[in-house]
């Protein structure tokens, strides 16, 4: 399985990737997660990425491509991969195409998680991450009256908001998606790789739709 999960911030790429890796045994490669890790470790790459990330802009292509090249060369990616949050613009998509040609691992499908803007905003403003186990919760879309419960950390997970999920940054991230990432839809449609999945449903339903889009024509 060699796929790209395409979709706006908040479309559910991360959540669905988690389910796909369990079912298919291939790694999820999320450039956002890799960048957050680099920042947490205070590496030079993390430091360089910081300003762009905090303001909702894209990190420099060369940095991201170096990171992806290194990650795809690791042995676990030889069996396949789910790319989440990469590519984010046409230049990255073109570079990815060349890299995968070199690795003799062409993409099989690009799955677009389609979610409308109002819902994206709601999901992003409500998103919280458990500081200890990194599980993602949503205080807006979870059923009312239920306190977020972390299966690993118990009833009192230490939920934090990602700095770039603050309302003032979300607008910028969605703007960047519209201007830079959305053109990838046409790019991959022309390549015959794109399948569109309606992402406006509960997690299990969207997952079933993704599976169908992966296996269907
Ligand atoms: P994400 O978790 O995918 O929403 O990514 C969080 C932030 O990391 C983005 O807003 C960007 O600043 C940066 N980022 C993640 N992936 C990429 C990418 N492929 N290219 C450039 N910047 C990225």
């Amino acid at each position: 399985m060699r796929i790209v999960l395409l979709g706006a911030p908040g479309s559910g790429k991360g959540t669905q990737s988690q389910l796909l890796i369990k079912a298919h045994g291939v790694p999820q490669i999320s450039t956002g997660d890799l960048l957050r890790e680099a920042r947490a470790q205070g590496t030079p790459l993390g430091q360089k990425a910081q300003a762009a990330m905090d303001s909702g802009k894209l990190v420099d292509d060369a940095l991201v491509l170096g990171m992806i090249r290194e990650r795809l060369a690791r042995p676990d990616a030889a069996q396949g991969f789910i790319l989440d949050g990469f590519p984010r613009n046409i230049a990255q998509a073109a570079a990815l195409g060349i890299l995968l040609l070199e690795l003799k691992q062409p993409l099989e499908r690009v799955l677009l998680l389609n979610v409308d803007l109002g819902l994206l905003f709601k999901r992003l403003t409500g998103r919280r991450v458990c500081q200890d186990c990194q599980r993602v919760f949503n205080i807006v879309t979870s059923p009312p009256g239920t306190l977020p419960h972390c299966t690993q950390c118990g009833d009192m997970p230490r939920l934090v908001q990602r700095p770039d999920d603050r309302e003032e940054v979300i607008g910028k991230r969605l703007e960047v998606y519209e201007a830079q990432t959305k053109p990838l839809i046409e790019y991959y449609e022309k390549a015959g790789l794109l399948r569109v999945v309606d992402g406006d449903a509960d997690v299990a339903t969207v997952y079933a739709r993704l599976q169908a889009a992966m296996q269907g024509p």
Side-chain angles (χ1 to χ4, degrees), residues 9 13 30-33 35-36 49 52-54 56-61 64 67 84-89 92 127 162 164 173:
K13 301 187 298 295
S30 153
T31 41
D33 285 349
L35 288 165
R36 278 184 287 279
M53 289 176 81
D54 285 348
K57 294 181 190 148
L58 291 187
V59 172
D60 184 60
D61 285 345
V64 175
M67 209 171 67
D84 158 11
F86 177 88
R88 275 295 226 274
N89 59 28
Q92 291 182 6
R127 180 158 70 183
R162 268 171 51 171
D164 59 347
R173 290 169 65 208

Side-chain angles (χ1 to χ4, degrees), residues 40-217:
Q41 289 164 4
T43 67
L45 186 144
Q47 284 163 15
K48 283 185 199 149
Q50 187 162 338
M53 289 176 81
D54 285 348
S55 58
K57 294 181 190 148
L58 291 187
V59 172
D60 184 60
D61 285 345
L63 287 183
V64 175
L65 285 167
M67 209 171 67
I68 277 285
R69 183 177 286 277
E70 187 269 326
R71 182 62 188 87
L72 284 173
R74 301 225 308 252
D76 63 342
Q79 311 307 321
F81 47 77
I82 298 160
L83 291 175
D84 158 11
F86 177 88
R88 275 295 226 274
N89 59 28
I90 299 278
Q92 291 182 6
L96 174 67
I98 294 168
L99 176 60
L100 293 179
L101 210 63
E102 282 168 23
L103 295 170
K104 298 193 173 53
Q105 290 211 325
L107 279 180
E108 290 167 335
R109 294 251 155 121
V110 174
L111 304 172
L112 170 68
L113 276 176
N114 212 12
V115 176
D116 73 46
L117 207 63
L119 182 59
L120 291 174
F121 208 82
K122 203 165 122 184
R123 285 189 182 170
L124 289 168
T125 46
R127 180 158 70 183
R128 299 290 183 277
V129 183
C130 174
Q131 202 170 280
D132 300 309
C133 72
Q134 311 306 315
R135 261 196 68 194
V136 177
F137 294 86
N138 199 298
I139 59 168
V140 176
T141 55
S142 301
T146 57
L147 260 181
H149 172 92
C150 180
T151 45
Q152 291 180 47
C153 306
D155 279 329
M156 296 292 286
R158 297 192 297 154
L159 296 183
V160 291
Q161 187 175 37
R162 268 171 51 171
D164 59 347
D165 281 343
R166 281 176 293 124
E167 222 163 307
E168 58 274 26
V169 186
I170 290 172
K172 181 68 195 172
R173 290 169 65 208
L174 294 174
E175 207 177 279
V176 165
Y177 174 78
E178 286 288 319
Q180 301 195 48
T181 310
K182 232 178 173 177
L184 292 179
I185 297 175
E186 198 186 335
Y187 181 91
Y188 283 123
E189 199 167 25
K190 279 190 179 145
L193 292 172
L194 189 81
R195 302 291 182 278
V196 182
V197 172
D198 179 0
D200 184 355
D202 59 86
V203 173
T205 306
V206 175
Y207 182 64
R209 289 175 185 164
L210 272 178
Q211 295 276 32
M214 248 172 342
Q215 282 147 18

